[in-house]
């Protein structure tokens, strides 16, 4: 492996995990610790990471990217299966709204070729991933940027979406509590989800099994207003029984 390729691999690992150790990198790449230490010094001088005693960490400005990368890796297999089920619901000649989050990013990554589809999204990374795709007319939903998710927070639906009424909205969840309410960490995030689900004819909730039975501080919306729930086959039996009673289509990926 060339030195530049090795440094790029080191940088990707730092961005993914938030930190690296010289000894681990030495073992992984089969080079001396002196060589790794030199690589880290070069990357530090370029402002791409911060070298520490025994390793390196992400730059402060990269912390959001690293945190999202870690969320992408959490329950990755389940999220991929959920995304594969979700993309089956997309059709040509539709308008679609994307919520933000790691599961929705998986959906964006797995979208098949589509024609004449309007996409509106709150997440910058989803917009960046889709904006050059043929057949898609991609719009960024306006609002204040929430750094933790690199997504916009909507306060006024008419201003943010321009009166758009979408065929479908694909929305994620921080958590779903024991009352089958989608809950979030603050009211701004919860309000944004409430607005999104009101702007579409069909609401599709994507949530892996780790999100269920977890409390949150702010209610976004109830599952009684959801048309399709896509989760994974690790969902416990008692929660499955609750879902059977809400009347939504439930897909266990």
């Amino acid at each position: 492996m060339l030195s530049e390729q090795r440094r790029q691999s080191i940088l990707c690992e730092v961005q993914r995990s938030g930190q690296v150790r010289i000894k681990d990198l030495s073992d992984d790449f089969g080079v001396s610790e002196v060589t790794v230490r030199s690589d880290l010094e070069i990357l530090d001088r370029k402002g791409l990471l911060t070298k520490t005693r025994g390793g390196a960490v992400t730059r402060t400005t990269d912390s959001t990217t690293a945190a999202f990368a870690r969320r992408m890796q959490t329950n990755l297999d389940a999220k991929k299966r959920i995304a594969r089920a979700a993309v089956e619901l997309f059709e040509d000649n539709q308008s679609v709204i994307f919520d933000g989050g790691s599961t929705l990013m998986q959906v964006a990554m797995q979208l098949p070729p589509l024609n004449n589809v309007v996409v509106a999204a709150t997440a910058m990374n989803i917009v960046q991933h889709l904006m050059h795709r043929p057949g898609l007319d991609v719009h960024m939903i306006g609002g204040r940027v929430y750094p933790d998710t690199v997504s916009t927070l909507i306060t006024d639906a008419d201003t943010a979406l321009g009166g758009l009424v979408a065929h479908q909205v694909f929305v994620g969840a921080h958590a779903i509590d024991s009352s089958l309410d989608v809950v979030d960490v603050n009211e701004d995030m919860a309000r944004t989800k409430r607005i999104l689900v009101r702007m579409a004819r069909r609401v599709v909730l994507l949530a892996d099994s780790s999100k269920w039975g977890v409390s949150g501080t702010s209610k976004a919306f109830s599952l009684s207003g959801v048309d399709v729930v896509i989760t994974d086959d690790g969902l416990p039996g008692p929660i499955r029984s609750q879902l059977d009673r809400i009347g939504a289509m439930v897909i266990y990926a």
Side-chain angles (χ1 to χ4, degrees):
M1 178 182 288
L2 298 175
S3 58
E4 192 57 41
Q5 292 174 322
R6 186 178 60 251
R7 289 170 198 147
Q8 186 60 42
S9 296
I10 290 171
L11 182 60
C12 288
E13 178 60 22
V14 171
Q15 291 173 338
R16 185 189 71 81
S17 62
Q19 61 181 357
V20 291
R21 296 173 61 233
I22 289 174
K23 185 180 185 309
D24 293 339
L25 294 174
S26 174
D27 293 341
D28 290 344
F29 294 110
V31 296
S32 70
E33 294 188 11
V34 172
T35 298
V36 173
R37 195 172 288 109
S38 175
D39 288 338
L40 296 181
E41 288 171 353
I42 291 171
L43 293 170
D44 184 283
R45 286 199 299 271
K46 290 181 177 180
L48 299 174
L49 50 70
T50 298
K51 188 175 179 295
T52 62
R53 183 180 178 85
V57 297
T58 55
R59 290 276 180 178
T60 302
T61 53
D62 291 336
S63 59
T64 297
T65 301
F68 188 83
R70 288 193 293 274
R71 288 198 297 274
M72 284 288 289
Q73 294 299 313
T74 303
N75 295 325
L76 178 60
D77 181 64
K79 289 175 181 177
K80 286 182 175 180
R81 285 185 277 125
I82 289 169
R84 284 196 292 270
V87 299
E88 294 294 326
L89 302 178
F90 284 76
E91 298 178 9
D92 294 338
N93 306 308
Q94 280 197 343
S95 53
V96 178
I97 295 173
F98 271 78
D99 189 16
S102 57
T103 306
L104 273 297
M105 186 64 195
Q106 281 292 338
V107 175
M109 292 167 66
Q110 296 192 39
L111 268 188
L114 294 165
N115 293 308
N116 193 33
V117 172
V118 175
V119 174
T122 61
M124 294 180 185
N125 51 3
I126 290 176
V127 168
Q128 289 174 328
H129 187 80
L130 295 178
M131 63 185 182
H132 297 301
R133 282 277 305 270
L136 303 183
D137 180 11
V138 181
H139 299 255
M140 182 83 199
I141 298 174
R144 178 168 59 88
V145 176
Y146 186 59
D148 284 1
T149 59
V150 201
S151 298
T152 51
L153 299 174
I154 306 172
T155 56
D156 186 321
D158 291 334
T159 301
L161 296 172
L164 172 69
V165 178
H167 293 89
Q168 301 188 91
V169 59
F170 292 82
V171 61
H174 169 73
I176 302 103
D177 66 17
S178 58
S179 299
L180 296 188
D181 289 330
V182 175
V183 291
D184 219 304
V185 294
N186 60 53
E187 177 55 27
D188 288 338
M189 297 289 287
R191 182 191 306 112
T192 294
K193 291 184 186 294
R194 281 198 299 273
I195 291 172
L196 292 180
V197 301
R198 288 201 300 265
M199 303 306 294
R201 297 171 186 167
R202 180 160 75 164
V203 178
V204 183
L205 174 70
L206 312 179
D208 68 73
S209 55
S210 70
K211 304 291 185 70
W212 297 79
V214 180
S215 299
T217 57
S218 300
K219 175 180 175 179
F221 57 89
S222 170
L223 258 65
S224 61
V226 171
D227 300 293
V228 182
V229 176
I230 307 179
T231 185
D232 62 82
D233 57 7
L235 198 67
I239 299 178
R240 293 190 184 210
S241 298
Q242 283 183 283
L243 281 176
D244 289 342
R245 295 193 289 270
I246 68 172
M249 175 193 297
V250 182
I251 299 172
Y252 296 100

